[in-house]
Every structure is written in C-alpha cells, then in structure tokens.
C-alpha cells in the first residue's frame, strides 16, 4: 500500500533525527548537501529538503539498513517515502 505525503515527511523527519544523532554520518550529510546545522532546523518542514535527507540515506544500503533496524522500519519504506516526496519513482535505467 502506498504511503501518504504526511507519512513520507514523518519518516524523513525521523531519518533527519537519526542523522543528527549520528556523529559519523552527520558531517558527511552536511558536507555533501551544503546544508548547515541551522538549515536542519529551518528547512526541516520543507518537502524538498526532506527529500534530500532520504536521497542521502539511500546512497548507501548499510545506512538504510542501520536506520531501518534502529527504528523498526521496513527496508523498502525510505524508498517509498522518497518516491512520494519527489513526485514519483526515479528510474536509473
């Protein structure tokens, strides 16, 4: 069953919270996105920023697994949330 935009945003906020608590990944996220710690607070309600959080998480399967395991979330849910926030599935082929 597809998730709603509100559920996708909630999941992305949970990912953001997980990233903020991860001393190893947070600097990588900030460096790769150009976001500042201030941006994390100010832009956390913007769907496009939340989409970037999910896109970052999905760069590495081990990050997805770590987040999902820590939050009891099915492994495919971050991808579904990203698809909702981006307006549709991205096909790389």
């Amino acid at each position: 069953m597809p998730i709603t935009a509100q559920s996708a945003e909630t999941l992305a906020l949970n990912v953001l919270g997980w990233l903020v608590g991860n001393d190893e990944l947070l600097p990588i996220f900030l460096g790769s996105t150009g976001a500042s710690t201030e941006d994390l607070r100010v832009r956390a309600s913007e769907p496009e920023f939340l989409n970037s959080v999910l896109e970052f998480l999905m760069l590495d399967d081990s990050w997805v697994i770590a987040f999902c395991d820590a939050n009891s979330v099915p492994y495919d849910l971050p991808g579904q949330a990203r698809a909702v926030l981006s307006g549709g599935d991205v096909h790389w082929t």
Side-chain angles (χ1 to χ4, degrees):
M1 171 160 46
I3 66 170
T4 65
Q6 183 176 359
S7 295
E9 289 180 12
T10 299
L11 181 71
L13 284 169
N14 288 336
V15 172
L16 183 58
W18 179 78
L19 282 173
V20 167
N22 189 314
D23 293 336
E24 183 180 318
L25 283 182
L26 181 60
I28 297 169
F29 173 74
L30 295 175
S32 69
T33 62
S36 67
T37 53
E38 177 69 14
D39 289 330
L40 301 181
R41 284 185 282 120
V42 173
R43 299 193 62 207
S45 64
E46 298 175 11
E48 57 276 354
F49 183 74
L50 294 174
N51 187 51
S52 72
V53 169
L54 292 170
E55 286 181 353
F56 175 79
L57 178 74
M58 295 182 64
L59 289 174
D60 191 308
D61 289 344
S62 68
W63 300 344
V64 173
I65 292 168
F67 167 77
C68 290
D69 286 351
N71 292 278
S72 300
V73 171
Y75 296 135
D76 64 336
L77 200 56
Q80 291 178 36
R82 186 199 47 79
V84 168
L85 293 179
S86 69
D89 263 335
V90 175
H91 298 282
W92 301 103
T93 57

